[in-house]
Amino acid sequence: MAVNFVRPKIPKFAPDPWAIQFDEQGHLRHLLTIEGLGPQWITRILDTAEGFVSVTDREIKKVPLLRGRTVVNLFFESSTRTRTTFELAAKRLSADVLNLNLATSATKKGESLLDTLRNIEAMQADMFVVRHEQSGAAHFIARHVAPHVSVLNAGDGWHSHPTQALLDAFTIRRHKGDFTPLRVAIVGDIRHSRVARSQMHVLNSLNVGELRVIAPRTLIPTDVEKLGVRVFHDMREGLRDVDVIIMLRLQRERMESGLLPSEEEFYRLYGLTEEKLAWAKDDAIVMHPGPANRGVEIESSVADGPQSVILEQVSNGIGVRMAVMSLCMSANRGENA
């Protein structure tokens, strides 16, 4: 039977709708969204990641923290970069990793998602990494797993992509240090982007100086100002004096017809070219969560240029995901208080 997810229903008496992310002792058990983490936990994750990025430079790229543990990647939605970096992160922590092919899984043959989860749990799984096209899917799974199992959200619908936002913040901090004097601009398809929503939450939690979004009116969600951003529809005004530019992918698969005149027109007005990049500060960095569409969202000479940190984001993603995995697994051992 098919399972349809919606934004999770939270009991009215719950003081914090995302309290499920923590166990009764206040340990981080799941990572489902940036909301509810607060600056202390965000900073702790970033600090922990600093200790893991150097593992990549070692001759033997492994540490034994998750030896004997099993991590299962449940990707109901296709992904190469995110799934691969989660897999590498788990293996560098010495975990056993199982990648399920959901295209041929039992859920496609009529088995319910909960029955599938119960069967995987019976194989002594310790962590599920979940990507799903429906908002709330990771939260739904977290509410039904056994007490020893952690759930990490690798992207759910339009809602959240917490580890992407954390690795973006990690990359910004490595280049710019303190967030408070920074102007950050997020450019492109804000309306359909779970990455943008998570970036807004994490950057505002870290007290960024000014957060801007730049897009045509059709790609800006209603009331986005309530998320603590300034809205611009003109690239020259929006990029003026910014320190960080985060370009977004056009989410064609989630886009209704008629939202854009054409990709050529979007690139002319909102694609990041060398000419437009010159409107930002001279030392501004350029980011993109990928996959980047060259000639639609960004000019190749900018994507590969000296101000681009796009490949650093990918590398940093491994260290940040190692940090999240180790902290959540530590919670199951009662160690991360």
Side-chain angles (χ1 to χ4, degrees), residues 235-236 239-240 245 266-280 299 302:
M235 279 286 270
R236 182 185 289 271
L239 292 182
R240 183 177 296 136
I245 305 170
F266 178 84
Y267 181 63
R268 186 178 70 81
L269 295 174
Y270 296 98
L272 187 61
T273 61
E274 291 188 61
E275 178 185 2
K276 296 189 183 93
L277 178 57
W279 299 334
E299 190 174 39
V302 175

Side-chain angles (χ1 to χ4, degrees), residues 240-311:
R240 183 177 296 136
D241 295 328
V242 300
D243 302 277
V244 178
I245 305 170
I246 304 175
M247 302 301 297
L248 299 176
R249 182 176 70 87
L250 285 178
Q251 308 277 324
R252 297 183 185 87
E253 70 277 14
R254 300 174 190 156
M255 199 175 292
E256 301 168 6
S257 61
L259 291 181
L260 285 177
S262 67
E263 290 185 348
E264 292 76 14
E265 182 73 357
F266 178 84
Y267 181 63
R268 186 178 70 81
L269 295 174
Y270 296 98
L272 187 61
T273 61
E274 291 188 61
E275 178 185 2
K276 296 189 183 93
L277 178 57
W279 299 334
K281 286 185 177 177
D282 292 340
D283 63 346
I285 59 172
V286 176
M287 308 175 71
H288 194 305
N293 295 307
R294 296 168 184 250
V296 177
E297 299 134 16
I298 191 167
E299 190 174 39
S300 282
S301 60
V302 175
D304 301 327
Q307 291 172 257
S308 171
V309 298
I310 294 172
L311 292 181

Side-chain angles (χ1 to χ4, degrees), residues 110-131:
E111 184 179 70
S112 73
L113 177 59
L114 286 179
D115 283 340
T116 300
L117 291 175
R118 297 286 182 257
N119 279 281
I120 299 171
E121 281 182 355
M123 302 173 197
Q124 310 304 314
D126 298 290
M127 175 175 283
F128 293 142
V129 179
V130 180
R131 167 169 274 195

Side-chain angles (χ1 to χ4, degrees), residues 57-72:
D57 300 326
R58 299 179 186 177
E59 183 177 350
I60 298 176
K61 300 177 176 57
K62 277 184 179 288
V63 292
L65 287 175
L66 298 190
R67 182 177 294 161
R69 301 300 185 98
T70 300
V71 176
V72 181

Side-chain angles (χ1 to χ4, degrees), residues 15 47 133 161 168 219 231 246 291 296 336:
D47 291 345
E133 70 273 16
H161 196 345
D168 292 340
L219 296 185
V231 177
I246 304 175
V296 177
N336 72 8

Side-chain angles (χ1 to χ4, degrees), residues 96-110:
D96 297 318
V97 182
L98 179 62
N99 294 308
L100 290 190
N101 184 355
L102 278 305
T104 57
S105 71
T107 54
K108 297 294 183 183
K109 300 175 183 175

